[in-house]
């Protein structure tokens, strides 16, 4: 087994671990707000130590501060939405919704940036939206009441839209000439600072166990990013393999963990949504 495949497997594992940690947060009554704030502090430190961004390029006139400010707001907001989605809708739907968000930048490329529409990409988008509709379909008789029934589809939908917009914003950072490591570091720092300001304003009661959970979350979050980068670097001739394997791997492993470990119920329509999501990713990959 090559190093590229090992990095890829590790990235899939780290990604699903983030969802598992968010799932366990409710069971152990962890304040996810404190955990997410600490997560960004850990991720920023690791980004600086491991990816070594060029400090001279971080504060140039070309730095897109408005885009980075938007990322600073969206990153923790969507992370909180992901926590709510995992809590109400489960790991299966949440991970699948996050992975299907990659079709939002594709749609934006057609609608906003004038990229020509191909039959294969159009079919992938249609499959993705069909998959999303199936995944967000809740059981006809929700045992947790109407409000929780809405949460089953509302929060994964917010995750889907939020991560899609974040992807577009990161692409805008890259187009502005900001190096990936530098843009990522600045986004992490801004997100962490905003979360800290919010928590101070709310006058939360800080507890070590919540911050410790945030350290674990930050390690898994940054581990996912780092191993995904390393997978692309180790398999430079196979970007489609990395792209498709990562997204399909997360959906598949997330489904197994959610169904087997946490006993999350899935209807036949939800299962069909998983299959459609995998098909959409195969079509989307630039083979």
């Amino acid at each position: 087994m090559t190093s590229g495949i090992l990095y890829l497997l590790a990235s899939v594992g780290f990604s699903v671990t983030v969802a598992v940690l968010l799932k366990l947060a409710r069971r152990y009554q962890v304040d996810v707000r404190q955990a997410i704030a600490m997560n960004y502090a850990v991720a920023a430190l690791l980004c600086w130590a491991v990816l070594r961004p060029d400090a001279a390029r971080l504060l140039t006139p070309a730095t897109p501060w408005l885009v980075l400010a938007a990322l600073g707001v969206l990153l923790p907001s969507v992370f909180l939405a992901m926590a709510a989605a995992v809590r109400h809708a489960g790991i299966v739907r949440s991970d699948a919704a996050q992975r299907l968000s990659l079709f939002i930048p594709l749609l934006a490329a057609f609608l906003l940036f004038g990229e020509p529409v191909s039959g294969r990409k159009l079919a992938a988008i249609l499959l993705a939206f069909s998959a999303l509709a199936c995944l967000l379909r809740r059981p006809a008789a929700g045992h947790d009441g109407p409000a929780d029934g809405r949460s089953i589809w509302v929060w994964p939908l917010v995750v889907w839209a939020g991560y899609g917009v974040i992807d577009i914003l990161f692409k805008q950072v890259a187009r502005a000439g900001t190096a990936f490591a530098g843009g990522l570091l600045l986004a992490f720092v801004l997100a962490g600072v905003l979360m800290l300001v919010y928590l101070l304003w709310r006058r939360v009661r800080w507890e070590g166990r919540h911050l410790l959970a945030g350290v674990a979350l930050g390690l898994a979050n940054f581990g996912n990013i780092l191993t995904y980068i390393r997978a692309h670097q180790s398999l430079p001739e196979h970007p489609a393999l990395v792209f498709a394997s990562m997204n399909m791997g997360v959906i598949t492993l997330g489904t197994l963990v959610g169904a087997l470990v946490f006993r999350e119920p899935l209807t036949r329509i939800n299962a069909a949504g998983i299959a459609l999501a995998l098909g959409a990713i195969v079509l989307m990959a630039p083979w």
Side-chain angles (χ1 to χ4, degrees), residues 185-205:
L185 176 62
L186 285 173
F188 282 161
V189 169
L190 285 170
V193 168
L194 286 174
M195 277 299 295
L196 178 61
V197 169
Y198 167 75
L199 291 172
L200 291 174
W201 174 65
R202 295 290 296 178
R203 296 182 180 179
V204 300
R205 181 181 177 182

Side-chain angles (χ1 to χ4, degrees), residues 17-268:
T17 298
V18 170
V20 170
L21 290 172
L22 292 174
K23 182 85 172 181
L24 293 174
R26 183 185 186 185
R27 179 179 297 177
Y28 295 102
Q29 298 180 326
V30 170
D31 184 348
V32 292
R33 301 170 303 171
Q34 294 183 44
I36 289 172
M38 177 57 77
N39 147 78
Y40 284 120
V42 172
L45 286 172
L46 289 172
C47 183
W48 180 266
V50 178
L51 297 181
R52 298 288 184 180
D54 183 359
R57 296 182 61 185
L58 294 181
L59 302 176
T60 64
T63 301
W65 287 106
L66 285 178
V67 176
L68 286 168
L71 280 169
V73 173
L74 274 176
L75 281 172
S77 301
V78 176
F79 217 143
L80 287 168
M82 182 69 175
V86 170
R87 182 168 66 251
H88 292 289
I91 291 174
V92 180
R93 289 183 179 89
S94 303
D95 270 341
Q98 181 184 357
R99 291 298 147 182
L100 285 173
S101 69
L102 60 91
F103 288 91
I104 292 180
L106 180 63
L107 202 57
F110 297 145
L111 299 178
L112 302 179
F113 306 119
E115 183 175 316
V117 181
S118 68
R120 182 166 63 90
K121 289 182 179 179
L122 184 60
I125 290 173
L126 292 174
L127 271 183
F129 277 98
S130 300
L132 196 63
C134 292
L135 287 165
L136 300 182
R137 180 75 177 270
R138 65 185 180 88
H143 65 277
D144 290 320
D148 200 66
R150 285 193 296 272
S151 299
I152 288 176
W153 63 268
V154 167
W155 286 116
L157 192 60
V158 172
V159 166
W160 172 75
Y163 277 111
V165 174
I166 285 171
D167 199 349
I168 292 173
L169 291 176
F170 268 122
K171 284 180 170 59
Q172 293 305 305
V173 171
R175 289 180 66 179
T178 306
F180 173 77
L184 190 65
L185 176 62
L186 285 173
F188 282 161
V189 169
L190 285 170
V193 168
L194 286 174
M195 277 299 295
L196 178 61
V197 169
Y198 167 75
L199 291 172
L200 291 174
W201 174 65
R202 295 290 296 178
R203 296 182 180 179
V204 300
R205 181 181 177 182
W206 299 92
E207 291 188 28
R209 65 190 190 89
H210 304 317
L211 299 178
L212 189 60
V215 172
L217 198 60
L219 289 171
N221 192 17
F222 183 75
N224 171 38
I225 295 168
L226 179 64
T227 50
Y228 187 60
I229 293 170
R230 295 289 186 253
H232 273 292
Q233 291 173 339
S234 300
L235 299 166
E237 305 300 322
H238 305 283
L241 171 66
V242 176
F243 170 86
S245 299
M246 176 63 190
N247 290 289
M248 293 176 70
V250 169
I251 291 176
T252 303
L253 182 58
T255 300
L256 291 174
V257 171
L260 300 180
V261 177
F262 294 101
R263 305 295 182 188
E264 294 177 0
L266 280 179
T267 66
R268 290 182 180 179

